[in-house]
Amino acid sequence: MNILRKKSISEMLAQSQQKGLSRSLGAFDLTLLGIGAIIGTGIFVLTGVVAAEHAGPALILSFIISGLACAFAAFCYAEFASTVPIAGSVYTYTYATLGEVFAFLIGWDLMLEYLLATSAVATGWSAYFQSLIAGFGLHLPAALASAPGTGKGGIINLPAVIIILIITTLLSRGIRESARVNNIMVFIKLAVIVLFIVAGIGYVKPDNWSPFMPFGFQGIVAGAATVFFAYIGFDAVATAAEEVKRPQRDLPLGIIWSLAICTALYIIVSLILTGMVPFAKLNVADPVSFALHYVGQDSIAGLVSVGAITGITTVLLVMLFAQVRISYAMSRDGLLPPVLSEVHERFKTPFKNTWLTGFVAAGIAGFIDLTTLAHLVNMGTLSAFALIAVAVLILRKTHPDLKRSFKAPFVPVLPVLTVIFCVYLMISLPAITWISFVIWISIGLIIYFLYARRTSNLNNK
């Protein structure tokens, strides 16, 4: 049963005190890091599609259901992150509670989640960028504008590749520099969202909210499972644990505040959006800009497009950052090749890991149609949220006297509700997503038994 061996909590806490990554982030940086990850495609892309195809004006309820599932998980994340401030997020927490094989599989799962999220978001960034330059009469050749297999005559999605490589360069140079750029871009996109709210509220027609639930409750749940993509990212805050000045205090604040701010903005924007435009007309790639064009606010719509590009860029930055920190933690534990945990002497970042991840993400975004694979991001996130809830319950039982700077309320009720919400949303995902997920996990099991189980640090002990 050595596949269920666990990492010692005391050794993990000692490891967090060792010198390695640069500790330069505070609660404010973490909050903006979370907002940077959460607000992007959720507001600027998904709102329109989900309203038109799934929920109608009841889109607000889809966001509330997904937000509740995330809120429950956020409290669990906050407790674990403040108690065991180690890079790796739910992978690390699972290693300490459920055992090595489960930790490897959830790490393997998260690597796919963040990698696909990075590539999928880069594809959305490319679409907004091409729309923006088209306004100036500039057009990319069709061969360079999309990936093969999308039916648009593309050979490579060049803008998506370039933006990922730019983000990779930034992340490889240092977390402090990356955080500064992220903070600036977050302020820009928040200003644009506030501008939309102020400009759009006067054009809201209550008649557009009727019928409120055109697709019934099942449509609302299907919408909730889809917009869950909009919330992924706050868990990325936990992956930065070893780069935080005061992790016991700042990590819970960053996780909870970023989720609370983003949920409020999602609810307000979805109300105004479905009030401005009949929901059936919102099945477009840029619903926020479309709504402003619809009511004649063309100049503000142009500003929103710029804000959308900025917002999606911050999502890219945090997704790629989180992917590197997960594989860094797994490599340091001996479950992945050691090159992935090498820290650059000058930049204090996993330099080689960052570039390897960047090249892979750029290749996926440039050459693969992500339409089917994108659903796997939701599956991976929901799996991680369910496991973090289980891990909190186990740690409360096995280490009741462990010092906890933050304690999740209403345990065991809250973790149990987290698992129920997440499983319910997972069941609502398409069958092809489940098939793809099982295939990916099966590949992970093969790698674990052929490689990781032998090279594990715990095995070598």
Side-chain angles (χ1 to χ4, degrees), residues 221-418:
V221 174
T226 305
V227 300
F228 201 84
F229 185 88
Y231 282 103
I232 72 165
F234 80 82
D235 57 323
V237 174
T239 67
E242 290 182 46
E243 289 151 286
V244 181
K245 296 173 187 174
R246 296 174 293 179
Q248 285 80 6
R249 170 188 175 274
D250 294 343
L251 280 168
L253 290 174
I255 291 170
I256 293 169
W257 272 110
S258 60
L259 183 63
I261 291 169
C262 294
T263 301
L265 288 175
Y266 278 145
I267 290 171
I268 295 169
V269 169
S270 59
L271 268 177
I272 292 175
L273 189 66
T274 53
M276 290 172 67
V277 183
F279 71 89
K281 297 183 178 181
L282 285 172
N283 194 6
V284 294
D286 53 348
V288 176
S289 298
F290 173 81
L292 290 167
H293 283 302
Y294 186 83
V295 297
Q297 293 286 348
D298 295 334
S299 58
I300 298 177
L303 288 174
V304 167
S305 292
V306 174
I309 290 174
T310 306
I312 294 172
T313 304
T314 64
V315 177
L316 272 174
L317 190 150
V318 182
M319 292 294 103
L320 195 59
F321 167 83
Q323 155 68 14
V324 171
R325 292 321 182 263
I326 293 287
S327 54
Y328 166 82
M330 294 178 71
S331 169
R332 192 173 57 181
D333 291 333
L335 301 181
L336 291 177
V339 67
L340 299 178
S341 55
E342 292 179 9
V343 176
H344 194 282
E345 189 173 339
R346 177 184 167 196
F347 300 131
K348 301 298 180 186
T349 62
F351 191 84
K352 294 177 183 177
N353 187 344
T354 304
W355 275 104
L356 177 63
T357 304
F359 280 129
V360 173
I364 293 172
F367 297 102
I368 298 177
D369 179 12
L370 290 168
T371 306
T372 302
L373 293 177
H375 280 293
L376 276 172
V377 178
N378 286 0
M379 179 69 86
T381 307
L382 288 163
S383 303
F385 286 3
L387 270 182
I388 190 68
V390 173
V392 164
L393 288 173
I394 292 174
L395 198 67
R396 286 280 187 100
K397 185 73 173 177
T398 57
H399 294 76
D401 300 324
L402 190 65
K403 182 182 177 182
R404 291 168 170 82
S405 303
F406 176 89
K407 294 185 74 171
F410 311 118
V411 174
V413 175
L414 187 138
V416 170
L417 285 175
T418 303

